[in-house]
Amino acid sequence: MSDKTTTILAEFAYTPPAVERGYAGQTLYVDVSTPSIAAKPVTEEMKEKFIGGRGFDLWLLWHGVKDGTRWDSPENEVVISSGPCGGITQYPGSGKSIAAAISPLTDVMIDSNVGGHFGPYLKFAGWDAIEVQGKADQEVIVFIDAPGGKVTVEAAPADAPTDTHLLGHWLLEHYAPSADDYPQMSFVTAGTGSEHTRMGCLNFSLYDRKRQDLRYKQAGRGGIGTVLRDKKVKALVVRSFPISGDMNAPADLSKLQAAGASIHKEVATFDPVQNHMRTSGTTYLVQIMDDYDLLPVHNFKFGRHPDTPKIKREVWEELLTQGLPDGCWYGCTVACAHAVDGYEVKTGPYQGQTVIVDGPEYETVAGCGSNCGIFEPWAILEINFYCDTYGIDTISFGTGMAFAMECYEAGVLDAEKTGGLELTFGNAEAALEVLHQMGRGEGFGLIFGQGIRRMKAYFAEHFGADPQFVQDIGMENKGLEYSEYLTKESLAQQGGYGLTNKGPQHDEAWLIFMDMVNNELPTFEAKAEALHYFPMWRTWFGLCGFCKLPWNDVVDPKNKLSPEPQKIMHHVENYRQIFMGVTGREIDYDDIITQSERVYNLQRVLNIRLGKGLREHDAIPYRSAGPVTEEEYLSRQERYDTQLREWLGLNPDEMTLAEKMAAHREYRMDRYEKLTDAVYARRGWTADGVPTPEHLKKLGIDYPDVLAVVEKHL
Amino acid sequence: MTIADLLAQLRYSFPHIIVSINGEVITKDFATHPIPDGADVRVIHLIAGG
Ligand code: SF4
C-alpha cells in the first residue's frame, strides 16, 4: 500500500470545513513556481453571480491572468470546479467538473465538462475549486489529503510514469494509505502526448468498485492537458472522505429526492426503447446521424457512408461490457460511461498489455472513425485507448486527422512530407503511427499536434499549399477543431459552432433538427432566439455541476404534447427544484438564464481582454457552410441545384459547375453574416460582438475593469 | 401507408419524433396508424443529440 518516498516542497495544513448548501466556502490556490499554497474565501458575490463550476473557473481566471497572458505564461492557470449541485447522488448526472485554462489552441479561455470523481471529491475535501498557477522547475504532484488535513506540493520521483493508465495505478499505490481508501481517491492526469502537442486532454479518474480498477473520463477540449504538463504538474491527487448521499448538506433534501424519483422512473422506462444509453452509451447517434446525412465522413465532405453499419450502436453493444453500473458519478442511472474490458493493445509501446478502454463515445466513433474513413472497431478502440493514456483529445485528433488525410489525398501532403506515412482516408495504421509520434514527440506527429489552424499555416508556408483551400477545408474555428456534426444544411448550427466563446463544441447549442429538419427557425430572428436560449441553458449545467445528457437524451413521450417540447420543461423544473433544494435560493426560469448570461458575457469580455472575442474570431471555414469541392457538390447535386432555383431564383441548367458553386458560396456566407448580426443583437452585443456597457450593467457585472475592456471597442 | 412506413422511407430513425396528421398529434402505434390519402402530415424532431 502507501509507499511514498516523495520530497515535500510546500505544505499547507487545514481543517476541512463542513460543506453547507453545496459550498465548501473556500477555493484552493497552488502556485507551483514558488511553490506555495493558500486558501481563498468564496464570497457571497461569487455564489450569487457566478454560482460555481465554470463560473468560479472564470472568476478565478479573470483575476489570475493578465492582458497579455498566453497559454504557456506562468500566470496561466488550470482551474477546476464542480458547482453547488455537484456531488449529489439523488439525480442522474450530478457529479460533473468543469476544467478551464487559457487554451494553447485558441489563446482564449477553454472550458471542458468532465465526469469522474475529482470535482465532487475536491469539494468534500473542503474546496469549491482548485487554481493551479506558475511553472514548476521539476516534476511535481499536488496532493490534497483531506483526512490528513493538509495540501502538499511534492517532487514526483523519476520512476513515476506519465501516461495515464500507468500513472493512475502508480498514484493509487503511492498515495492511498490502504486498499480501503481506493474509492476515496481521484486523480487528474494528462500524458506524454500532452507534452508534445497543443491538444492535450485531462483524465479525471474514478475508482470503479465493481471492476476494482481505475476508470477515466476526459476533459478533452482545448489543450488543458498541455497546460498542465507545461507547468510540470504530473498529477493532481485528492483523497476525500467516504461518500454519502447528504454530503452537500442541502437546504431541503426532499426536493432532490422528489426530482430524482421521477427521473429514475423515466430513465428506466424509456431508455430501453429510445437511446439504449444504458447498454451502449452515446454510440446510438452514429447510425441516426448517418440516416439524416449528418455523420461527418471524409473530413466533413459527406454526411453518410455505406460502411456506417460496421460502427453502429449494436456493434459497440457487443464489445462494451454489459451489466455493470457505468455511471461516471454515483447515482447516475443513465449510466452511459461504458468500457471495453480486457482489451489487448495491438500497437505502440503498450502492445500486448490488457487494458480497460473507456468508451468509445459518439464523438470518438465519428471523429476517429467515419470522418477519417475508418470503419474498423478495433482501430477506433486502439485510437481511443492511446488518445486517453497519452492525454490527447479524441475530437481534435479525429478532426485533425481527417483534415490531414484530405490534404494527403489532395496532394498538399505526400509520403515525403509525412515521413513515409500514407495518410489516405481509411488508413488506420498510419493514423495510429501519427498518434504514437505525438506520444514520442517526433516526426509528422509534432506538426500534426499543433492543431489544424497551425497546420494550415505550416502547409502553406512549407509545403506550398493554397492558403484558401486549406482554410476552406480545415474544420476549426478560433483554433479549436470542430466536434462531429455536419452543419452545411443548418445555418443555425453553423452559428451554434461559430458564434461561441470557446469554439466549435456542440455543448453550447445543437439545433440541427429544429432548424434543418423541422424548419422551426425560419427567420434570422428565430435562429437568434434559439442561439440565445439554448447556449445559456446549456451553460447553466456547467455552473451547477450537472451533466447535460439526462436533460434531453431520455424523455417521457408525453413531453411531446407540452407547449415547448424542445425545452423539455418538466426536466428544467427538476433542475430548478434541485438548485433550490441544495442552495436554499429561490429561482425562476428567467433567473437560470440570467445566471448563465453573466458568466457567458464575462467570458466574452475575457476573450476580448486577451486580444480575441470579436466578430472576426467568429468566422467559420466554408466547409461548415457549403460544398468546397466539385466532388462534394456533385455528390448532392440535386439538392444544391434545387436550392439555387428555390433560394436564389437561378436556373442551374444554364450555369457551369463553377458558377453554381460560387453562387452557393456567396449566398451561404452572406447568410452567416446576417445570422451573426441577429445573434449579436439578441445577446446584447455590438455589431463587432462586444457586450455593451448597458447589457453588462443589466447583468450586474459592470465592474470597472470589465467596462474598461469593452470601452476600447465601442 | 402507416406512419412507421413513412418514417422508414424518409430514414427518420430518431427516437424523439412527433407526428401530426391533419392537425391531430399522434403519439403511439406508429406501426399500425394509417395515413389517409391527401393528409397533411407533419413530423417534428425534438432536440436531443449533441
Ligand atoms: S449521463 Fe453518462 S456522462 Fe452523464 S453523468 Fe451519467 S454516466 Fe456520466
Side-chain angles (χ1 to χ4, degrees):
Chain A
M1 289 308 123
S2 182
D3 168 26
K4 271 174 85 219
T5 52
T6 47
T7 308
I8 308 284
L9 304 173
E11 181 166 330
F12 178 84
Y14 77 108
T15 304
V19 173
E20 282 179 43
R21 298 188 171 197
Y23 293 97
Q26 58 181 3
T27 64
L28 176 61
Y29 173 79
V30 180
D31 179 351
V32 293
S33 296
T34 10
S36 62
I37 304 163
K40 293 182 180 178
V42 169
T43 62
E44 285 306 312
E45 183 177 30
M46 282 171 72
K47 290 198 269 188
E48 168 74 25
K49 291 192 175 161
F50 300 100
I51 311 302
R54 177 171 153 191
F56 278 12
D57 291 349
L58 169 66
W59 183 248
L60 294 168
L61 262 182
W62 175 272
H63 292 286
V65 302
K66 302 175 190 153
D67 292 0
T69 298
R70 290 290 170 263
W71 72 274
D72 54 354
S73 305
E75 69 271 15
N76 190 15
E77 299 186 335
V78 172
V79 198
I80 299 166
S81 174
S82 178
C85 305
I88 69 166
T89 58
Q90 292 78 14
Y91 201 84
S94 302
K96 289 282 185 169
S97 308
I98 300 284
I102 293 175
S103 159
L105 289 168
T106 65
D107 295 322
V108 294
M109 175 175 151
I110 184 78
D111 54 270
S112 198
N113 181 315
V114 58
H117 292 171
F118 189 85
Y121 280 11
L122 179 73
K123 177 162 66 176
F124 301 144
W127 308 101
D128 287 316
I130 181 171
E131 190 185 4
V132 180
Q133 199 173 43
K135 285 194 189 199
D137 55 13
Q138 59 181 312
E139 293 284 344
V140 298
I141 292 168
V142 177
F143 181 31
I144 302 140
D145 181 6
K150 61 181 190 296
V151 180
T152 47
V153 177
E154 308 184 359
D159 69 335
T162 300
D163 286 338
T164 282
H165 80 292
L166 301 177
L167 176 57
H169 286 122
W170 187 93
L171 291 167
L172 264 193
E173 277 171 28
H174 289 75
Y175 282 85
S178 76
D180 291 343
D181 295 275
Y182 287 176
Q184 280 78 255
M185 308 293 298
S186 183
F187 319 125
V188 176
T189 56
T192 50
S194 287
E195 292 171 8
H196 304 126
T197 71
R198 291 174 185 257
M199 52 180 78
C201 75
L202 297 177
N203 287 288
F204 280 54
S205 79
L206 60 103
Y207 186 76
D208 184 325
R209 293 170 196 248
K210 285 272 192 264
R211 289 178 172 87
Q212 299 201 344
D213 209 336
L214 287 166
R215 306 273 317 277
Y216 301 94
K217 301 300 293 178
Q218 287 72 36
R221 306 303 339 255
I224 309 176
T226 301
V227 180
L228 192 79
R229 292 304 296 132
D230 183 61
K231 295 182 177 305
K232 284 205 167 61
V233 175
K234 194 149 257 190
L236 309 176
V237 176
V238 64
R239 180 162 80 103
S240 192
F241 301 102
I243 188 84
S244 67
D246 59 355
M247 288 179 84
N248 260 320
D252 183 353
L253 185 63
S254 68
K255 282 191 163 71
L256 283 56
Q257 290 165 331
S262 92
I263 191 79
H264 291 317
K265 197 160 150 240
E266 229 173 303
V267 170
T269 309
F270 301 113
D271 181 62
V273 292
Q274 292 179 352
N275 300 335
H276 311 272
M277 309 251 298
R278 294 212 283 184
T279 58
S280 30
T282 53
T283 61
Y284 77 94
L285 282 165
V286 175
Q287 188 63 53
I288 291 174
M289 290 302 120
D290 186 275
D291 288 343
Y292 288 84
D293 208 18
L294 293 168
L295 184 73
V297 170
H298 292 185
N299 193 30
F300 299 87
K301 276 195 243 181
F302 315 117
R304 63 171 55 126
H305 193 282
D307 285 337
T308 299
K310 294 180 183 168
I311 54 168
K312 67 179 180 179
R313 182 187 73 76
E314 291 81 350
V315 173
W316 299 110
E317 188 172 322
E318 284 278 305
L319 290 166
L320 295 164
T321 305
Q322 300 297 327
L324 293 176
D326 281 331
C328 68
W329 175 247
Y330 297 103
C332 187
T333 40
V334 177
C336 74
H338 299 295
V340 174
D341 289 275
Y343 177 77
E344 188 178 322
V345 181
K346 293 173 180 50
T347 67
Y350 305 121
Q351 185 175 9
Q353 287 190 12
T354 300
V355 298
I356 300 173
V357 184
D358 290 280
E361 298 182 22
Y362 165 76
E363 300 289 335
T364 303
V365 178
C368 304
S370 59
N371 212 5
C372 296
I374 294 172
F375 294 91
E376 298 155 276
W378 78 266
I380 295 169
L381 283 176
E382 187 89 357
I383 292 171
N384 193 155
F385 165 72
Y386 270 112
C387 276
D388 291 352
T389 199
Y390 287 157
I392 301 280
D393 173 27
T394 58
I395 297 178
S396 281
F397 180 82
T399 299
M401 184 54 63
F403 167 70
M405 285 175 162
E406 185 171 355
C407 285
Y408 193 95
E409 298 214 339
V412 172
L413 294 176
D414 55 32
E416 196 182 322
K417 298 185 178 95
T418 62
L421 296 170
E422 283 188 37
L423 282 180
T424 49
F425 284 118
N427 190 341
E429 286 79 5
L432 274 159
E433 181 49 29
V434 174
L435 185 51
H436 296 314
Q437 290 178 353
M438 292 161 81
R440 296 192 298 266
E442 63 180 44
F444 184 72
L446 278 177
I447 301 169
F448 180 91
Q450 298 304 302
I452 291 177
R453 177 164 286 194
R454 287 167 182 84
M455 274 195 275
K456 287 175 180 174
Y458 191 93
F459 293 174
E461 189 183 337
H462 297 279
F463 299 157
D466 173 359
Q468 185 67 53
F469 176 68
V470 288
Q471 170 54 28
D472 283 349
I473 68 163
M475 289 293 280
E476 56 82 19
N477 156 275
K478 302 178 179 64
L480 186 70
E481 286 71 25
Y482 271 65
S483 70
E484 308 302 336
Y485 297 96
L486 209 70
T487 58
K488 285 178 200 150
E489 300 310 318
S490 171
L491 175 60
Q493 188 57 31
Q494 291 161 31
Y497 273 140
L499 306 175
T500 48
N501 277 331
K502 67 169 170 267
Q505 170 70 356
H506 56 278
D507 65 351
E508 277 208 11
W510 198 90
L511 302 172
I512 298 181
F513 283 157
M514 281 179 83
D515 187 38
M516 178 186 112
V517 186
N518 301 340
N519 197 21
E520 285 175 285
L521 308 172
T523 63
F524 290 113
E525 287 67 31
K527 291 182 207 305
E529 184 56 37
L531 283 168
H532 170 69
Y533 177 81
F534 287 102
M536 295 313 135
W537 164 242
R538 286 174 177 245
T539 292
W540 196 71
F541 292 114
L543 308 187
C544 298
F546 290 128
C547 171
K548 164 257 153 197
L549 296 177
W551 163 55
N552 71 348
D553 278 60
V554 184
V555 183
D556 186 332
K558 76 172 189 267
N559 173 67
K560 293 173 182 174
L561 304 175
S562 66
E564 293 184 286
Q566 308 283 8
K567 293 184 178 174
I568 315 175
M569 288 309 289
H570 71 288
H571 287 180
V572 175
E573 175 60 14
N574 284 346
Y575 288 108
R576 188 178 79 91
Q577 291 294 334
I578 294 169
F579 183 87
M580 295 192 300
V582 171
T583 65
R585 284 170 60 185
E586 293 289 315
I587 55 167
D588 60 24
Y589 300 135
D590 291 340
D591 293 331
I592 289 175
I593 299 304
T594 304
Q595 288 176 352
S596 291
E597 272 191 283
R598 284 195 195 102
V599 172
Y600 200 88
N601 279 269
L602 184 61
Q603 192 166 338
R604 185 81 178 183
V605 179
L606 176 59
N607 289 355
I608 297 169
R609 199 180 140 201
L610 294 167
K612 310 271 168 145
L614 302 175
R615 187 179 186 118
E616 64 182 290
H617 305 109
D618 288 344
I620 54 174
Y622 183 56
R623 171 70 49 85
S624 73
V628 174
T629 62
E630 293 186 354
E631 179 194 19
E632 270 169 283
Y633 192 101
L634 293 172
S635 76
R636 304 287 186 273
Q637 172 151 267
E638 193 184 330
R639 174 195 296 166
Y640 294 133
D641 282 357
T642 304
Q643 290 168 346
L644 287 176
R645 284 193 189 90
E646 293 181 355
W647 294 353
L648 297 172
L650 296 173
N651 181 359
D653 299 336
E654 295 172 355
M655 299 168 77
T656 65
L657 182 54
E659 286 168 345
K660 292 196 285 189
M661 290 174 67
H664 264 283
R665 185 172 187 128
E666 188 182 341
Y667 175 74
R668 286 167 182 256
M669 294 316 283
D670 179 61
R671 272 188 332 178
Y672 184 75
E673 294 304 321
K674 291 193 171 98
L675 177 71
T676 303
D677 288 336
V679 170
Y680 286 178
R682 177 62 188 86
R683 290 183 181 170
W685 298 353
T686 69
D688 199 20
V690 179
T692 62
E694 300 73 38
H695 191 56
L696 296 171
K697 187 168 188 329
K698 200 177 104 198
L699 294 173
I701 52 170
D702 53 333
Y703 304 110
D705 53 348
V706 173
L707 291 177
V709 174
V710 299
E711 274 160 4
K712 286 185 214 146
H713 296 275
L714 297 175
Chain B
M1 178 184 260
T2 65
I3 293 176
D5 293 336
L6 176 71
L7 297 181
Q9 194 178 314
L10 293 168
R11 298 184 73 159
Y12 281 1
S13 57
F14 193 61
H16 303 301
I17 283 180
I18 304 176
V19 177
S20 74
I21 298 180
N22 295 326
E24 184 197 349
V25 176
I26 316 295
T27 57
K28 54 185 181 177
D29 301 330
F30 285 2
T32 54
H33 202 293
I35 301 176
D37 286 346
D40 174 19
V41 182
R42 288 172 199 224
V43 182
I44 297 289
H45 289 60
L46 301 183
I47 206 164

